[in-house]
Amino acid sequence: NKQAAKYLGEFADPKSVPSLVRGLWMTGRGNDIFQDCRYALVRIGEPSVDKLIETMQRKNAAVEADAKKYEFVAGIVVQKAAIVLGDLRSKKAVPALLAELNKKDDGLTGNGVSGHQSVLQALGFIGDTSVTKTLLGIMADTKRDPKHRAAAAEALNMLGTTDALPGLLAMAKTTFITPPKTKDDLPELDQNKATMAAQGVTQLSRLTDKDESATLEPIAKAIPADIVDIKKVYENAIARSKVAAECKKDIACYGKYLAATGTDPETSAKAERAAFSLSRLGHDAVPVLTKYVGHKDSAVRSAVTFALSRTATKADKDVLKAMDDQIAVDKGRDKVGIALAEEMRVTRAIVGNRG
């Protein structure tokens, strides 16, 4: 199955779409072929969209039969179909993705997976700003599950819409510590609210174009020292916002932060912010981004490849070669390297489809 999917990816023949879509859920002998089928479908491009929409809508008879026979985890059909629709970057999928959000998220509880989370992220990847109002509503809805609100915030950053900044700031200001009831008690951490606040401040700092220190430093200082992880999230967010304020639309300035070495989290956060900024500066940013397709920090690399999927086209042969070279390096490493190579293959296919 795996070898067949790999070769179908090389053929990129639309006739193989039904089989490849079904293969997204094939597992066995401790392995699956999701990444191989995903890559092949993205290589095929637009002809894959209709079958994936049909599948996400639970109307694909072959996949539904497999789901029943093999007792698929709740939500996984919508989840995987939405992931690949996001990869395809097709605006044709937007109405179906929006309609999916009006349905029940079957995998949100129990042992399932959230399909809506992937649907929201897919809308961000596609980049159609007509969905902004819907995403803003979900992000601001306190009755929504935190996974949905966080995914909406992430999607709004990918869209690059500054309309999201007030809502993201409100999320970043979420109170997640309950004061002690008596002097002998300790403050209590609400983990769900802490996660929401962390998501809000992270996406805010990836999107804002000004230094947010004056707003965020008082929040960071008020976080108890023993809540190290959340405190660091705010400190990293402040560092990102300073990069945006300094560099504005200066591509070379952002390149400086991508080139910075060091293992401390702030260095990574600044480089990641540089990549997100470059994703919004058009084709002129491609040469700088191309230098860092193999960035050692996985979060930065992810931001760089996302930026290239927004800015590069199939005419950029140097970009495609840089990705090919990095894939060859990574796939010869450990499991982590192989996973990185598989993700980059998908990004290469996305860029290869962009005119």
Side-chain angles (χ1 to χ4, degrees), residues 77-96:
V77 172
V78 172
Q79 181 202 52
K80 288 189 175 182
I83 288 171
V84 185
L85 286 169
D87 292 333
L88 289 165
R89 307 295 203 265
S90 174
K91 291 186 179 181
K92 182 180 181 180
V94 169

Side-chain angles (χ1 to χ4, degrees), residues 82-225:
I83 288 171
V84 185
L85 286 169
D87 292 333
L88 289 165
R89 307 295 203 265
S90 174
K91 291 186 179 181
K92 182 180 181 180
V94 169
L97 289 163
L98 289 173
E100 195 64 35
L101 294 174
N102 294 322
K103 303 175 185 177
K104 182 182 177 182
D105 191 351
D106 292 329
L108 195 57
T109 58
N111 295 321
V113 293
S114 171
H116 285 193
Q117 191 174 13
S118 296
V119 167
L120 290 161
Q121 290 164 338
L123 289 168
F125 280 121
I126 291 169
D128 184 347
T129 55
S130 68
V131 305
T132 299
K133 185 177 179 180
T134 298
L135 295 176
L136 287 172
I138 292 171
M139 182 180 69
D141 187 352
T142 56
K143 294 181 180 178
R144 282 271 189 172
D145 188 275
K147 288 182 180 179
H148 295 167
R149 296 182 68 196
E154 183 181 358
L156 285 162
N157 169 59
M158 288 190 279
L159 290 177
T161 175
T162 53
D163 290 348
L165 290 173
L168 290 170
L169 181 57
M171 189 182 292
K173 291 181 176 179
T174 301
T175 300
F176 53 86
I177 298 173
T178 303
K181 295 178 181 178
T182 70
K183 65 178 182 179
D184 296 323
D185 292 335
L186 294 173
E188 292 184 12
L189 176 69
D190 185 319
Q191 191 60 58
N192 283 336
K193 290 183 177 180
T195 300
M196 287 303 308
Q199 280 291 338
V201 77
T202 297
Q203 302 306 333
L204 171 74
S205 66
R206 289 171 172 169
L207 183 58
T208 186
D209 59 0
K210 66 178 185 178
D211 185 345
E212 301 285 357
S213 299
T215 301
L216 300 181
E217 281 180 353
I219 302 174
K221 288 179 180 177
I223 299 172

Side-chain angles (χ1 to χ4, degrees), residues 16-28:
S16 64
V17 168
S19 295
L20 289 166
V21 170
R22 187 182 179 196
L24 293 170
W25 293 271
M26 282 187 177
T27 61

Side-chain angles (χ1 to χ4, degrees), residues 4 35 50 101 117 208 210 229 267 274 310:
Q35 288 287 17
D50 286 342
L101 294 174
Q117 191 174 13
T208 186
K210 66 178 185 178
D229 292 346
T267 299
R310 280 282 195 265

